Amino acid sequence: MSNKPIGIFDSGIGGLTVAKAISEELPHENLMYFGDTAHLPYGDKSKDSIKLYSKRISDFLVGRGCKLIVIACNTASAHAYADLAKRHPDVPIVNVIDPTVNYCSSRFESGKIGIIATKGTIKSRIYPRKIKKQNPGLIVSQQATPLLAPMIEEGFFNNNISKAIISSYLSAKNFKDMRALILGCTHYPLIKKEVSECLSEVEVIDSASVVATTIKEELQNLNLLRTKGESVKQFFVSDYTDSFEKTSKLFFGEKIQLIEDRIWD
Ligand code: DGL
């Protein structure tokens, strides 16, 4: 059972930041990744659409024998986590929001925490609700940043235009005097440096490494950790894109094989 892969999904390349952190923390684990490039961006889709996509992709991954599923997307974690946990009662499901909320609530006792994320995640108010429940002393300020995921997916960052867009979003009044900023979208670690450059003395938090630690603990508890052997990584997309191929190779090396599986046809 421990040889079975960890299933990971996102709308596109964002979840690769989580997959990368998992492969660093758990180098022997086999990974199966699904990028739903046919439907990205998820951030502006309805809750019902996200639930539908997530159910179909989780069926795909569970059907291929995945031992644990990681919803490596904040928007899908916000809208579909409860449904997936019910749909696959025998497979542990990990979302990217709870580990980040736990980290933040234990790290900060008071002050302001900012969040940037897709429209879907911000509208759900899942971060403020969960953070305030764990730590009522924290002030939470959030802001939708809908241009960022499509911009990153296109490989459009580290240039003057991306810098201008990021700095305009971060200059929002409600972000004044914050202690930390949560990157509430798995695409955003790719622009973490640009975000940090706009903010001085603000801790910029991305979920990738805290999620990887949570997965390690979960697999350990279930006795499902793979502790030796070479890792096999498979990457599926619902619609081939150059950008996905480029980013997955950048993260995991030239040898990876990208398979287009048009599960929606
Ligand atoms: N990476 C995803 C998230 O964390 C989705 C971004 C998008 O497709 O809009 O929300």
Side-chain angles (χ1 to χ4, degrees):
M1 184 70 180
S2 63
N3 287 334
K4 294 186 177 235
I6 297 175
I8 305 166
F9 75 92
D10 178 45
S11 60
I13 62 172
L16 291 171
T17 61
V18 180
K20 180 74 181 161
I22 297 171
S23 76
E24 280 166 6
E25 180 85 30
L26 302 165
H28 303 289
E29 292 293 341
N30 295 319
L31 306 183
M32 186 178 287
Y33 187 95
F34 194 96
D36 190 12
T37 40
H39 290 127
L40 69 90
Y42 271 12
D44 56 11
K45 303 291 187 301
S46 70
K47 188 171 175 172
D48 284 344
S49 297
I50 300 296
K51 283 183 176 191
L52 183 83
Y53 305 155
S54 303
K55 280 184 195 163
R56 178 71 184 89
I57 297 165
S58 65
D59 289 352
F60 175 95
L61 295 169
V62 172
R64 278 163 182 74
C66 290
K67 61 182 177 184
L68 179 147
I69 303 295
V70 187
I71 311 176
C73 168
N74 285 263
T75 316
S77 294
H79 293 328
Y81 171 64
D83 280 21
L84 297 197
K86 252 192 241 147
R87 192 176 182 85
H88 307 288
D90 301 328
V91 182
I93 312 280
V94 174
N95 68 67
V96 288
I97 295 174
D98 289 322
T100 314
V101 167
N102 293 341
Y103 169 81
C104 225
S105 314
S106 58
R107 175 139 174 72
F108 302 100
E109 265 175 26
S110 60
K112 188 192 281 181
I113 307 294
I115 296 156
I116 52 171
T118 65
K119 278 192 211 164
T121 304
I122 296 298
K123 246 171 80 188
S124 77
R125 296 197 55 80
I126 191 159
Y127 274 102
R129 264 192 292 118
K130 287 192 176 238
I131 292 175
K132 295 289 273 181
K133 195 170 170 200
Q134 284 199 17
N135 193 339
L138 289 172
I139 299 163
V140 185
S141 269
Q142 50 166 19
Q143 159 98 13
T145 46
L147 290 177
L148 297 183
M151 177 185 94
I152 295 163
E153 192 72 37
E154 281 297 318
F156 202 79
F157 47 95
N158 281 327
N159 59 42
N160 288 340
I161 297 170
S162 66
K163 276 194 179 78
I165 294 172
I166 293 165
S167 118
S168 153
Y169 277 138
L170 295 177
S171 61
K173 260 208 226 107
N174 56 342
F175 281 165
K176 211 168 163 276
D177 299 327
M178 61 186 166
R179 295 185 67 182
L181 177 74
I182 296 177
L183 302 181
C185 170
T186 52
H187 280 72
Y188 301 173
L190 289 154
I191 53 165
K192 190 170 181 177
K193 199 170 142 269
E194 285 176 274
V195 169
S196 300
E197 279 165 8
C198 284
L199 303 166
S200 59
E201 290 174 47
V202 174
E203 180 176 335
V204 180
I205 298 167
D206 78 73
S207 56
S209 65
V210 278
V211 170
T213 310
T214 303
I215 291 164
K216 185 178 183 179
E217 287 163 6
E218 183 99 23
L219 291 176
Q220 247 157 3
N221 291 341
L222 294 165
N223 225 355
L224 286 179
L225 208 57
R226 188 170 194 253
T227 51
K228 53 178 187 294
E230 209 183 312
S231 153
V232 175
K233 297 180 182 65
Q234 286 173 287
F235 296 85
F236 293 90
V237 281
S238 51
D239 193 13
Y240 173 85
T241 67
D242 277 341
S243 156
F244 192 97
E245 171 134 35
K246 230 172 92 192
T247 311
S248 49
K249 288 194 165 157
L250 191 78
F251 278 7
F252 295 100
E254 281 299 313
K255 273 199 313 211
I256 71 141
Q257 202 199 345
L258 182 58
I259 303 158
E260 184 183 62
D261 196 323
R262 304 182 75 88
I263 60 172
W264 310 106
D265 289 353

